Amino acid sequence: MAIILNHTIVPARDKEASARFFADIFGLKYEGPGGHFAPVRVNETLTLDFDEADSFDIHHYAFHVSDAEFDSIFKRVQEAGIAYGSEPWDQKNGKLNNWNGGRGVYFCDPNGHILELMTRVSSVG
């Protein structure tokens, strides 16, 4: 059996606002709180469970997407006026990268977590 990530907890100052932000930018549905968490189903195997915390470390969440998904998500990032960049250490340079023969971009959510979109992934990990 392959090992598949089922869910992860994303710390946030306001779990519902964070879940809505993520769902809106990624073109997903947020259906309201589910028990203690504010869950967003990313795909058939992965759910992000947003949870409130007073303090937390900043995390990096990277998503491999199709070219069409990249275009849609990136358009929503631009329309929302969110700063973006080509590198994890520079999420505000207004550029995309072309690593591994694809496109990539980094931007932050309202909590400061770094979100990454990439259309190609390296076969070397």
Side-chain angles (χ1 to χ4, degrees), residues 11-75:
R13 287 182 268 296
D14 180 331
K15 65 184 176 187
E16 286 201 61
S18 296
R20 276 190 210 93
F21 169 86
F22 182 84
D24 289 346
I25 291 294
F26 279 77
L28 303 169
K29 290 182 181 178
Y30 172 60
E31 298 179 353
H36 177 77
F37 300 106
V40 176
R41 180 165 283 300
V42 176
N43 58 42
E44 61 278 351
T45 63
L46 177 62
T47 301
L48 297 184
D49 288 333
F50 292 84
D51 190 17
E52 290 186 14
D54 292 328
S55 65
F56 47 84
D57 292 331
I58 298 302
H59 298 281
H60 175 174
Y61 300 95
F63 300 91
H64 180 216
V65 297
S66 70
D67 285 313
E69 290 167 325
F70 185 97
D71 291 341
S72 296
I73 297 166
F74 184 56
K75 181 179 179 183

